[in-house]
Amino acid sequence: MTEAFQFKQFTIRHDRCAMKVGTDGVLLGAWANAKGKRRILDIGTGSGLIALMLAQRTDAMITGIEIDPASATQAQENVAASPWADRLQIVATDIAGYTSYQAFDLIVSNPPFFNEMLLPPDAARSQARHTQALTFEALLFHVQRLLSPEGSFCAILPATALTHFSSAAAAQALFVVHTTFVHTTMRKAPKRVLVEFRKEVSPIVEDSFVLTGADGRRSRAYEDLTKDYYVR
């Protein structure tokens, strides 16, 4: 297993993290609408990947929340080794116990989403991957209380979970404004969806892209989205 991922401007070590660096996190970190954002919160930051990606392309003050102590410690180390340590902090806590004197104008999360009856044996990985630890409803409640009136909340989900998640969000007065469906290949149904919510109802922008081209390589769309991060 790779213990470190080298990106263009930072390195992620994740050998002690419950969840490893993966495509979902990279997609969200590159896709989230961060333009003009000054205060950003990453719920379930894991290794700090998404927080660091957002630090690279903004001047924002960024906070990552992580419930797993080992993951939080490694995220703190990744942040300390980055060029943006002065405006990034990692807080080892449950989101339910987190308070902030200022609201955030962008909140991001790669939330736990698997509901299978058979959980993986590792407790930390189970907590990171399954909705038993943090339900959609609980996550969205905390997003609502921490998000500024004009702010955005961006997440990546299984495409099959979008209806459930959007309904739970609407119950918290959070409304879909943008969805990007992610296909692994052109012929397959979308596996993931990137989604942005706001506190005001707006026309929904819908689009999609494919991760892998017919030649088995990264598609042009994926390369364009991640070009500032991946070392080619």
Side-chain angles (χ1 to χ4, degrees):
M1 179 183 296
T2 302
E3 294 188 355
F5 271 80
Q6 182 63 54
F7 293 88
K8 284 186 176 180
Q9 295 188 39
F10 61 91
T11 300
I12 292 288
R13 298 188 180 280
H14 62 174
D15 55 292
R16 304 195 309 275
C17 293
M19 288 305 299
K20 311 305 181 186
V21 170
T23 301
D24 286 1
V26 173
L27 284 170
L28 181 58
W31 180 88
N33 179 12
K35 185 176 181 179
K37 306 301 185 183
R38 305 305 305 167
R39 284 177 50 80
I40 299 174
L41 178 66
D42 179 14
I43 299 176
T45 195
S47 64
L49 169 66
I50 296 170
L52 283 162
M53 292 180 72
L54 292 169
Q56 178 179 317
R57 61 187 176 98
T58 71
D59 295 320
M61 302 298 293
I62 302 173
T63 299
I65 300 296
E66 177 53 52
I67 191 173
D68 176 57
S71 298
T73 297
Q74 190 151 48
Q76 289 165 349
E77 294 168 1
N78 288 332
V79 163
S82 78
W84 315 287
D86 59 334
R87 55 187 179 86
L88 273 161
Q89 67 167 338
I90 305 298
V91 181
T93 187
D94 185 339
I95 187 60
Y98 178 74
T99 58
S100 175
Y101 69 93
Q102 281 185 303
F104 294 89
D105 50 13
L106 174 62
I107 298 176
V108 295
S109 186
N110 178 9
F113 51 69
F114 290 112
N115 284 298
E116 292 91 342
M117 292 299 292
L118 296 176
L119 304 184
D122 182 82
R125 184 175 175 83
S126 175
Q127 177 172 262
R129 298 283 287 186
H130 291 80
T131 56
Q132 285 85 349
L134 180 65
T135 65
F136 287 164
E137 289 77 10
L139 170 63
L140 291 159
F141 170 81
H142 295 297
V143 169
Q144 170 61 246
R145 73 177 176 85
L146 293 165
L147 188 66
S148 69
E150 300 81 23
S152 296
F153 168 53
C154 295
I156 185 166
L157 307 164
T160 54
L162 179 59
T163 298
H164 173 193
F165 196 86
S166 298
S167 296
Q172 294 292 338
L174 296 166
F175 306 103
V176 177
V177 297
H178 186 187
T179 57
T180 298
F181 288 92
V182 182
H183 302 253
T184 52
T185 64
M186 183 68 72
R187 294 184 178 182
K188 292 186 177 180
K191 184 178 181 181
R192 296 283 186 266
V193 59
L194 293 150
V195 58
E196 179 181 358
F197 298 86
R198 293 182 188 164
K199 290 187 173 182
E200 294 185 356
V201 178
S202 301
I204 300 174
V205 176
E206 295 184 353
D207 50 43
S208 65
F209 74 92
V210 177
L211 289 178
T212 307
D215 59 0
R217 299 181 179 180
R218 294 174 185 164
S219 69
R220 175 62 63 86
Y222 186 31
E223 293 224 339
D224 287 346
L225 182 65
T226 59
K227 65 181 185 297
D228 293 334
Y229 300 105
Y230 278 138
V231 177
R232 304 301 180 194

